């Protein structure tokens, strides 16, 4: 089992920035590919970004590329999502997810095995 805990969400005005954190219980968290997802009220969950277990590859939803940045700190077993130029449409509960990665794994991953509880982000007009 891998426990994931998101933090850093809150209320921010349009144009502002937030950095979300995802703390993992796994000592070998650096061997897990990490993804960020979000779910807005009344909408389906959507993919935001992913960072491969190697730390050398990232992948973003087309609409978010350039505004959001995913990163990780293996020493702290933590992944991050830096969000800039936030818009009201970015309002959602943001989730981090993880899956064990190998060189033979699909990229981007086809599925994630572990999920956090989510942290809400509200962007006001």
């Amino acid at each position: 089992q891998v426990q994931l805990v998101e933090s850093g969400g809150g209320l921010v005005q349009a144009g502002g920035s937030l950095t979300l954190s995802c703390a993992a219980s796994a000592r070998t968290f650096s061997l897990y590919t990490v993804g960020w997802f979000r779910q807005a009220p009344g909408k389906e969950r959507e993919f935001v970004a992913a960072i491969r277990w190697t730390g050398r590859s990232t992948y973003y939803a087309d609409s978010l590329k350039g505004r959001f940045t995913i990163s990780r700190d293996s020493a702290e077993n933590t992944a991050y999502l830096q969000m800039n130029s936030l818009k009201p449409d970015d309002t959602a509960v943001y989730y981090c997810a993880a899956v064990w990665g190998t060189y033979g794994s699909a990229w981007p991953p086809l599925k994630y095995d572990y999920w956090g509880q989510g942290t809400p982000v509200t962007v006001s007009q």
Side-chain angles (χ1 to χ4, degrees), residues 33-83:
T33 289
V34 176
W36 283 96
F37 295 79
R38 68 185 186 183
Q39 186 168 20
K43 297 185 178 180
E44 296 295 316
R45 182 184 65 194
E46 66 175 328
F47 171 78
V48 173
I51 183 166
R52 205 172 188 180
W53 68 273
T54 63
R56 296 192 292 270
S57 298
T58 57
Y59 189 81
Y60 298 90
D62 289 341
S63 62
L64 304 177
K65 194 176 303 181
R67 293 197 298 121
F68 288 16
T69 302
I70 189 171
S71 62
R72 66 192 305 161
D73 184 344
S74 60
E76 298 293 333
N77 289 339
T78 303
Y80 304 94
L81 183 69
Q82 174 68 50
M83 306 185 295

Side-chain angles (χ1 to χ4, degrees), residues 1-119:
Q1 293 291 328
V2 177
Q3 275 64 241
L4 304 173
V5 180
E6 304 96 332
S7 62
L11 176 65
V12 64
Q13 293 189 60
S17 299
L18 280 177
T19 298
L20 307 182
S21 299
C22 176
S25 63
R27 295 177 181 177
T28 56
F29 189 55
S30 63
L31 301 181
Y32 289 80
T33 289
V34 176
W36 283 96
F37 295 79
R38 68 185 186 183
Q39 186 168 20
K43 297 185 178 180
E44 296 295 316
R45 182 184 65 194
E46 66 175 328
F47 171 78
V48 173
I51 183 166
R52 205 172 188 180
W53 68 273
T54 63
R56 296 192 292 270
S57 298
T58 57
Y59 189 81
Y60 298 90
D62 289 341
S63 62
L64 304 177
K65 194 176 303 181
R67 293 197 298 121
F68 288 16
T69 302
I70 189 171
S71 62
R72 66 192 305 161
D73 184 344
S74 60
E76 298 293 333
N77 289 339
T78 303
Y80 304 94
L81 183 69
Q82 174 68 50
M83 306 185 295
N84 298 321
S85 302
L86 285 164
K87 307 173 181 179
D89 285 348
D90 295 321
T91 295
V93 176
Y94 285 72
Y95 300 88
C96 66
V99 62
W100 182 270
T102 69
Y103 285 114
S105 300
W107 177 251
L110 299 175
K111 65 179 181 64
Y112 293 83
D113 295 325
Y114 306 99
W115 294 81
Q117 83 291 340
T119 185

